[in-house]
Amino acid sequence: MEKIVILTGAGISAESGLGTFRDAGGLWAEHRIEDVATPDGFARNPALVHCFYNARRVQAAQARPNAAHMALARLQAEARAEVVIVTQNVDGLHEAAGSRDAIHMHGELSRALCAACGHRWQAALSMSERDTCPRCSAHACRPDVVWFGELPYRMEEILDHLAGASIFAAIGTSGQVWPAAGFAQEAACAGARCVEINLEPSAVSDDFHKVLRGRASDVVPGWVAGVLSGNGS
Ligand code: OAD
């Protein structure tokens, strides 16, 4: 069966009210990556890191999927192809839209991880450095998100999907964070037609055969309709 691989980034959730990282006023303009998104930052000040992710978890819980998330769920349901969604986003908006089995390569805000024993569980809306692991009781509970300096999740599986893709689309991602920034090159080498859907040029736009500029909620539904009707990618 033909395979379509979609990579999504913060831009797809922007119109659901969740901030991106690198746009003006984005999360990395207000917070230092080394303080809130690295293992060292967590070791130095776990309370600050929990506070950052607690605020994002509350925001994400209130957000609703937009037309772009809904269109990708439609693509998964209706395409005569396997549609694999890989997301760098830690929100749950693909699932809320009805998508199945999205691969969260940077983890999920809704999950907690024990840094001591590796146990994972459903995170409370608010986590604290005083929490204990339900399995080993260590005071080492952290959000189950991937920080800088850590390996993204399920990379082997993702690379397998890219190697078998006939269409690869990247939606709402700046192409500044690896390894996701290299997925278009991987897919193109394997013979996929690569499409970028983004508000503005990304750092890796040249790696795509086609670029569609605009807001994800405006562009993605039309692109999905084109793929479903067989009018190309
Ligand atoms: P960025 O904030 O780096 O990029 C978001 C991209 O979305 C930009 O290129 C915007 O132009 C575009 N964009 C903004 N609004 C849009 C809209 N309504 N429709 C379409 N495009 C829009 O976010 P990511 O590329 O997802 O990692 O960032 C990748 C990773 O860097 C994140 O997963 C996170 C971050 O540091 C970790 O925390 C490990």
Side-chain angles (χ1 to χ4, degrees), residues 9-11 14-15 20-23 28 88-89 106 146 148 172-175 177 198-200 214-216:
E15 292 162 72
T20 63
F21 295 95
R22 296 175 181 80
D23 293 305
W28 295 156
Q88 299 166 89
N89 297 343
H106 289 167
V146 174
F148 287 89
T173 177
S174 61
V177 174
N198 212 54
L199 206 49
E200 52 194 32
R215 301 189 319 166

Side-chain angles (χ1 to χ4, degrees), residues 4-9 12 66-79 83-87 93-94 97-100 169-171 197 216 220-221 223-225 228:
I4 301 172
V5 179
I6 315 273
L7 171 71
T8 63
I12 196 171
N66 64 52
H69 299 101
M70 302 304 285
L72 293 182
R74 178 182 173 214
L75 183 66
Q76 256 190 340
E78 296 181 19
V83 178
V84 178
I85 297 177
V86 180
T87 186
L93 293 179
H94 286 301
S99 279
R100 285 169 280 108
I171 302 170
I197 300 175
V220 177
W223 176 75
V224 164
L228 286 174

